[in-house]
Amino acid sequence: MQSYEHKEIEKKWQEAWERENIYKTPLQSKEKKKYYVLAEFTYPSGNLHVGHWYAFTGPDIYARYMRMKGYNVFYPNGYDAFGLPAENAAIERGLNPRIWTRGNIETMQKQFNTLGASFDSSSMLETCDPKYYKWTQWMFLKFKERGFAYQANTPVNWCPSCKTVLANEQVHQGHCDRCDNIVEQRAMKQWMMAITKYADKLYDDLNNLQWPESIKEAQRNWIGRTYGSRISFSISSSTKNENNTIDIFTTRADTLFGVTYIVLAPEHPYITKLIESNALENIIEVREYISATQKKSNLDRTSNKEKTGVQLKGIIAINPANGGEMSVWIADYVLADYGTGAVMAVPAHDERDFEFAKKYNLEIKNVISYINSSLDKNTAMIHDGVLVNSGEFSGMSSNEARTKITKHVNGKMTKMYRMRDWVLSRQRYWGTPIPIIHCSKCGAVSVPEKDLPVVLPDLDDFMPREDGKSPLSKATDWVNVMCPICGEKAERETDTMDTFIDSSWYFLRFLDPNNAETFSDKNIMEKWMPVDFYFGGAEHTTMHLLYSRFWHKVLFDIGLVGDNEPYLRRINRGLILGSDGNKMSKSKGNVIDPDEVVSKLGADTVRMYLAFMGPYGEVGNYPWDPNGVVGVHRFLERVWRTHNILSKENIPSTTKLLHKTIGHVERSITELKYNTAISGLMIFMNHIEKEKSITHDVYKTFLQLLAPFAPHITEELWRMFGETTSIHLSQWPVVDETLLHDDEVTIAVQVNGKVRGQIVVGVRELEKNVVDKAFNDVKVANFLEGKKVLKQIYVPGKIINFVV
RNA sequence: GCCGGGAUGGCGGAAUUGGCAGACGCACACGACUCAAAAUCGUGCGGAGUAAUCCAUGGGAGUUCGAUUCUCCCUCCCGGCACCA
């Protein structure tokens, strides 16, 4: 018979599957239980690389397995087509981003076809398609109606290289997530999403999700919920008759008696008021400090931990606990946008306050004593203990005192979040236009629903600008419109949306990508949501994964979707590294081109190899081993050759191993241990080669087990046996439990916990007989000679241990 | 600093969750086939030792008849957060 011609076989079946439409999901069908497998959709960056193969074969194996298990599986694919990198790449090449993106999608679509993935191709969508972003805009307006989308003048992250603002999530250690440049702070009026309103829901509902603990924990860290107290300090001026209060947030209300000064962030709004009312004696000094702070980037501000500050001379604060008078300062170690932008300083029990107090010679008052002497002397100061010098609260534990003291000074127990609202405006061309018209009379007016979508105009010059204005502002024909309310001259909003908004709801549109009446059919969503299994990359943990949960929760509260969480199970895959163990990069010259390997060894081989490298669900990073791929290819060739040794006669040991293998492969797939599933298949194959015989039925069952991993070769062989429907639509084999039963079992014999021999015994053999047999084993006998057995432990089917 | 996850042969990784550590694959060595090479097949392959045997799952203690698995301490690596009050 002919040899394994992967090229021919793969092309043939890819075309046939498409023609026969075998992966089209009957979304309306009620016969089978639904299962929605989602892989993060693709950014059309140019070419499919190994990472794409890895990202899509993992979920594909799962989808194929679930389909064979009898589920109605939906596994869609599309393109996250708007965005900065595409725009940057287009600029570099002097192309319009639309053309650049179009070309990439076409190339990548062709490459996707070679992967042998079981996508439902009718679900295809692109976020840059007006048919899609019409609904992105529609949702934005719904969010705005309810106050979740709002405009605010706030300090924002500005990337001087990408020339746009960024959300906090898109800044890492002070650097732009896209281009790695240092991010500046600018005060700009921007559209924001009130994600902090959902902080508690986002935090608490994590408990209901089947997600790896590491992902949940990363989101909790990002949300950063802290419990504490909000306490008011009254402020008075020594010269003016000026009285006011400043609210602070603290987790350590128990240390209130130890507060010796108050610090405000330089941006605190009260300072402007003080300057205006001329209440300060050192206005010039204060102004200088504020402008010096403004010049610093956040990175400067946080990386230089040397404390600086200026006293607000002319005002004092009163400690509400004991009436003591204290100085008030501004210092840039206090952040304007966390808590209330003001802190009470307890230098005796806070390292930062301590440092500041030392530098400016401020009082340090100890109010906590530590019973736990095991604490390090240097860090003990910040721990809980027992109150001293705290009036009636002296002697109380920190924990108890926190609530009691807060109550005593009319404070409030409250919580704070590290997460900030999501800045969604982008001063870039290639994104969904924000559907707003600015009217000098009516303000920011929503574009009426009938006028949606606001189509992104074609521009010749879409270069980003230094001045913080969007390139769209140059499209004057497009910008100048009538106000939908008053009919006067007005201007369109020229910023576009963060692409993370586009991707916050795409999985809903997959279900109904061509609907012109609504963003997705309600009945279909009801049946298919939430997503059962979401596969993606770790980089989205505190970005897309958080944003889309927020988005979905709002849709749920508005009544547009029926679930408050979009994804039940989630997994972050690892990274495929170059052969040298480094991240693949052109500069290192260690990039593996999947197309090359596929043409040489075939898609089935590449898929199998990727699955075989290690467990899929853990963020393991696996180096690509060119020899390893060849090893997997060898295996497939052996599978192919096996059709030459078909026989009529069944070997009992083969049947038994087959059923063991069914169970093993099944368990491994559900646990995403594709590597052990494949090793099980290899073990079975090794057995067949040794026996040099296999029956049709056993071979076919084996092919079914292999089918999710190597869909083409298995289909070819399956049909060779006269099957007329696809192996991928066949029923997953059922384990015959009665065959798994062993009559005899090999158990280890231990002496003092060390293995000294092996014996074969009947499964239900009496302990007495097993002991006899063990004693008669020559090697064991050697170790028992002249010794007295004190105790014996017999675990049936596993082990017998003699303690001597 | 806080939180989460890790560490097993030359390499990727197995180990039914407390019961024979190193499955499966790669690499390597030897052998068969070949004029030769490749491919293929066979054998071996954690370390030491001729062997019996001993030592080995990052290091140290502990629990246990028995620990890669559980507990405590330490080292290192990866990831998240971080002047967040």
Side-chain angles (χ1 to χ4, degrees):
Chain A
M1 271 210 193
Q2 77 274 41
S3 58
Y4 171 39
E5 301 290 345
H6 60 83
K7 253 187 190 163
E8 216 175 281
I9 293 169
E10 288 175 0
K11 187 160 182 282
K12 172 174 145 195
W13 290 111
Q14 281 157 11
E15 285 168 7
W17 294 331
E18 187 61 37
R19 203 170 49 241
E20 294 165 19
N21 214 2
I22 70 164
Y23 305 122
K24 169 101 183 83
T25 308
L27 288 169
Q28 309 277 9
S29 163
K30 292 194 170 70
E31 277 168 46
K32 296 173 176 176
K33 207 170 167 221
K34 70 97 179 177
Y35 199 87
Y36 190 165
V37 177
L38 183 67
E40 278 166 3
F41 65 166
T42 316
Y43 193 85
S45 49
N47 276 294
L48 286 200
H49 49 76
V50 175
H52 288 109
W53 275 76
Y54 194 54
F56 286 97
T57 50
D60 187 59
I61 290 164
Y62 208 88
R64 287 178 181 279
Y65 165 75
M66 290 302 277
R67 211 176 275 120
M68 290 175 80
K69 281 296 278 186
Y71 287 86
N72 189 13
V73 172
F74 182 53
Y75 180 41
N77 189 27
Y79 292 94
D80 189 11
F82 271 137
L84 232 142
E87 193 179 337
N88 290 343
I91 289 168
E92 237 170 71
R93 291 165 177 79
L95 286 170
N96 186 292
R98 189 187 308 280
I99 293 162
W100 166 248
T101 302
R102 186 75 257 139
N104 286 348
I105 289 179
E106 268 156 34
T107 313
M108 292 172 92
Q109 200 54 30
K110 274 190 204 130
Q111 292 175 305
F112 264 122
N113 288 335
T114 67
L115 192 119
S118 59
F119 297 129
D120 178 341
S121 54
S122 65
S123 64
M124 178 55 63
L125 63 79
E126 295 163 19
T127 56
C128 66
D129 183 344
K131 286 200 313 244
Y132 180 88
Y133 68 68
K134 170 183 177 173
W135 299 106
T136 311
Q137 294 173 335
W138 182 83
M139 285 180 186
F140 171 86
L141 292 176
K142 293 280 162 207
F143 279 41
K144 178 179 167 258
E145 264 172 43
R146 287 165 174 80
F148 291 117
Y150 64 95
Q151 233 181 341
N153 205 336
T154 54
V156 290
N157 308 299
W158 171 266
C159 174
S161 158
C162 297
K163 299 185 177 66
T164 180
V165 304
L166 299 168
N168 268 338
E169 286 77 8
Q170 292 147 35
V171 178
H172 298 293
Q173 326 272 307
H175 294 261
C176 172
D177 179 48
R178 289 290 174 207
C179 68
D180 214 37
N181 273 285
I182 292 176
V183 168
E184 297 169 358
Q185 304 309 118
R186 279 195 184 184
M188 287 170 76
K189 196 172 185 188
Q190 299 289 297
W191 286 96
M192 316 269 290
M193 279 288 167
I195 192 169
T196 51
K197 284 191 185 166
Y198 275 75
D200 276 329
K201 285 183 180 176
L202 289 167
Y203 194 107
D204 295 331
D205 293 350
L206 284 169
N207 291 333
N208 310 327
L209 300 175
Q210 298 166 42
W211 289 18
E213 195 50 38
S214 56
I215 306 182
K216 292 188 188 183
E217 206 45 42
Q219 289 210 349
R220 287 189 197 109
N221 281 341
W222 182 260
I223 295 165
R225 182 161 72 188
T226 318
Y227 289 90
S229 317
R230 193 184 177 107
I231 293 171
S232 291
F233 283 69
S234 46
I235 309 281
S236 54
S237 163
S238 46
T239 53
K240 312 245 165 194
N241 192 16
E242 148 107 31
N243 283 301
N244 218 312
T245 60
I246 292 279
D247 280 8
I248 60 89
F249 173 74
T250 181
T251 54
R252 293 300 303 273
D254 55 314
T255 61
L256 189 59
F257 285 85
V259 177
T260 56
Y261 58 96
I262 294 290
V263 192
L264 310 184
E267 300 90 342
H268 197 286
Y270 183 55
I271 295 163
T272 325
K273 216 175 140 190
L274 286 173
I275 292 173
E276 279 165 6
S277 65
N278 216 9
L280 296 178
E281 291 162 14
N282 55 342
I283 286 192
I284 295 170
E285 197 190 357
V286 169
R287 278 203 168 127
E288 270 170 7
Y289 186 77
I290 293 171
S291 72
T293 304
Q294 279 166 350
K295 282 195 196 114
K296 287 189 190 173
S297 72
N298 257 6
L299 191 67
D300 292 336
R301 210 170 145 171
T302 53
S303 59
N304 178 14
K305 308 238 163 156
E306 166 88 38
K307 305 278 173 296
T308 59
V310 170
Q311 189 186 349
L312 299 176
K313 289 185 179 145
I315 60 163
I316 50 153
I318 309 295
N319 187 331
N322 55 19
E325 292 188 354
M326 307 174 295
S327 54
V328 181
W329 294 69
I330 57 170
D332 67 3
Y333 79 90
V334 175
L335 306 174
D337 53 354
Y338 181 76
T340 62
V343 302
M344 62 178 217
V346 188
H349 305 290
D350 180 282
E351 283 168 319
R352 293 152 301 183
D353 298 342
F354 179 77
E355 213 184 299
F356 192 80
K358 274 274 182 205
K359 180 162 175 181
Y360 294 103
N361 265 321
L362 295 155
E363 189 193 351
I364 298 170
K365 190 180 163 197
N366 202 332
V367 290
I368 304 285
S369 88
Y370 303 99
I371 321 158
N372 191 346
S373 56
S374 70
L375 289 172
D376 183 334
K377 265 187 192 151
N378 297 315
T379 56
M381 61 180 276
I382 63 166
H383 288 95
D384 282 7
V386 171
L387 276 68
V388 293
N389 299 324
S390 296
E392 59 189 285
F393 300 95
S394 294
M396 205 179 268
S397 74
S398 287
N399 200 27
E400 191 185 354
R402 270 194 275 272
T403 45
K404 297 237 160 113
I405 292 184
T406 303
K407 205 176 163 196
H408 176 69
V409 298
N410 292 320
K412 213 177 99 191
M413 298 306 288
T414 180
K415 46 197 165 175
M416 284 295 167
Y417 309 92
R418 189 164 297 151
M419 183 172 64
R420 309 290 145 86
D421 273 351
W422 172 15
V423 179
L424 70 97
S425 305
R426 293 292 177 275
Q427 291 70 44
R428 297 289 298 230
Y429 169 69
W430 191 233
T432 302
I434 296 174
I436 293 291
I437 292 167
H438 294 283
C439 168
S440 53
K441 225 167 85 191
C442 311
V445 178
S446 298
V447 170
E449 203 175 318
K450 66 173 172 50
D451 295 337
L452 295 181
V454 175
V455 178
L456 183 69
D458 270 320
L459 286 187
D460 291 331
D461 177 13
F462 44 82
M463 288 292 280
R465 296 156 53 131
E466 297 288 344
D467 60 5
K469 279 191 181 159
S470 162
L472 280 175
S473 60
K474 280 173 286 188
T476 45
D477 288 355
W478 180 83
V479 169
N480 294 314
V481 286
M482 299 298 180
C483 170
I485 296 177
C486 69
E488 295 288 309
K489 276 188 182 170
E491 289 187 352
R492 285 191 192 280
E493 167 70 53
T494 56
D495 285 351
T496 54
M497 295 186 205
D498 183 0
T499 47
F500 280 110
I501 294 200
D502 305 326
S503 57
S504 284
W505 70 281
Y506 73 106
F507 42 88
L508 299 173
R509 189 68 179 174
F510 268 148
L511 292 165
D512 195 12
N514 298 309
N515 197 325
E517 307 301 317
T518 175
F519 65 95
S520 189
D521 183 86
K522 199 155 191 170
N523 290 325
I524 299 179
M525 281 194 292
E526 213 148 89
K527 178 178 159 64
W528 282 90
M529 286 301 291
V531 168
D532 293 279
F533 204 164
Y534 194 17
F535 292 78
E539 69 277 16
H540 288 124
T541 300
T542 54
M543 294 200 275
H544 163 64
L545 227 44
L546 195 64
Y547 292 143
S548 55
R549 286 185 64 220
F550 157 72
W551 197 267
H552 207 74
K553 283 175 178 300
V554 176
L555 292 181
F556 174 72
D557 287 347
I558 296 178
L560 293 173
V561 298
D563 312 276
N564 69 350
E565 284 286 342
Y567 326 115
L568 285 182
R569 190 178 172 194
R570 162 78 189 194
I571 223 79
N572 284 353
R573 69 170 176 276
L575 226 55
I576 305 302
L577 308 171
S579 321
D580 55 1
N582 292 309
K583 220 172 155 175
M584 284 190 198
S585 77
K586 278 179 198 143
S587 59
K588 287 208 176 89
N590 60 354
V591 177
I592 300 293
D593 176 9
D595 290 353
E596 246 170 60
V597 190
V598 168
S599 99
K600 215 168 99 194
L601 300 170
D604 281 343
T605 297
V606 173
R607 290 171 55 106
M608 287 270 293
Y609 174 62
L610 289 167
F612 189 53
M613 289 204 286
Y616 196 77
E618 295 161 27
V619 187
N621 299 330
Y622 308 114
W624 179 277
D625 176 2
N627 291 314
V629 205
V630 176
V632 168
H633 188 73
R634 267 201 286 268
F635 168 72
L636 287 180
E637 286 198 309
R638 292 197 291 151
V639 171
W640 179 264
R641 261 185 271 129
T642 299
H643 76 248
N644 292 320
I645 52 169
L646 289 175
S647 65
K648 293 223 162 61
E649 211 175 315
N650 207 1
I651 303 167
S653 66
T654 299
T655 318
K656 189 168 179 175
L657 182 60
L658 178 72
H659 282 265
K660 269 191 180 162
T661 307
I662 297 171
H664 175 70
V665 170
E666 186 156 351
R667 239 176 293 120
S668 300
I669 292 179
T670 25
E671 290 168 17
L672 296 178
K673 293 181 175 175
Y674 299 149
N675 54 332
T676 54
I678 292 170
S679 91
L681 294 168
M682 286 172 166
I683 290 167
F684 182 79
M685 216 51 225
N686 290 344
H687 171 85
I688 295 302
E689 295 210 316
K690 211 168 127 201
E691 298 292 344
K692 298 200 167 46
S693 158
I694 186 170
T695 63
H696 270 77
D697 286 350
V698 172
Y699 191 31
K700 280 169 71 182
T701 307
F702 171 78
L703 291 175
Q704 286 181 294
L705 301 182
L706 179 61
F709 304 96
H712 310 86
I713 187 176
T714 49
E715 182 82 299
E716 175 72 16
L717 290 164
W718 178 258
R719 305 267 186 147
M720 225 181 247
F721 293 120
E723 292 284 346
T724 50
T725 53
S726 171
I727 189 171
H728 304 296
L729 301 178
S730 70
Q731 280 295 309
W732 187 259
V734 179
V735 181
D736 184 345
E737 297 287 345
T738 60
L739 286 171
L740 296 183
H741 176 79
D742 282 302
D743 291 332
E744 287 196 321
V745 66
T746 307
I747 69 167
V749 183
Q750 297 184 335
V751 178
N752 283 347
K754 291 205 167 165
V755 179
R756 297 302 182 186
Q758 289 184 351
I759 51 170
V760 178
V761 295
V763 167
R764 267 178 256 286
E765 194 66 69
L766 293 172
E767 179 167 351
K768 188 167 110 7
N769 297 340
V770 175
V771 171
D772 280 352
K773 201 158 190 177
F775 266 97
N776 288 333
D777 186 272
V778 187
K779 282 169 89 181
V780 176
N782 267 337
F783 282 92
L784 291 176
E785 210 182 318
K787 309 241 169 71
K788 198 180 153 206
V789 176
L790 300 172
K791 195 175 169 186
Q792 67 193 36
I793 295 109
Y794 175 50
V795 184
K798 301 238 160 147
I799 208 156
I800 180 150
N801 187 12
F802 298 108
V803 185
V804 296

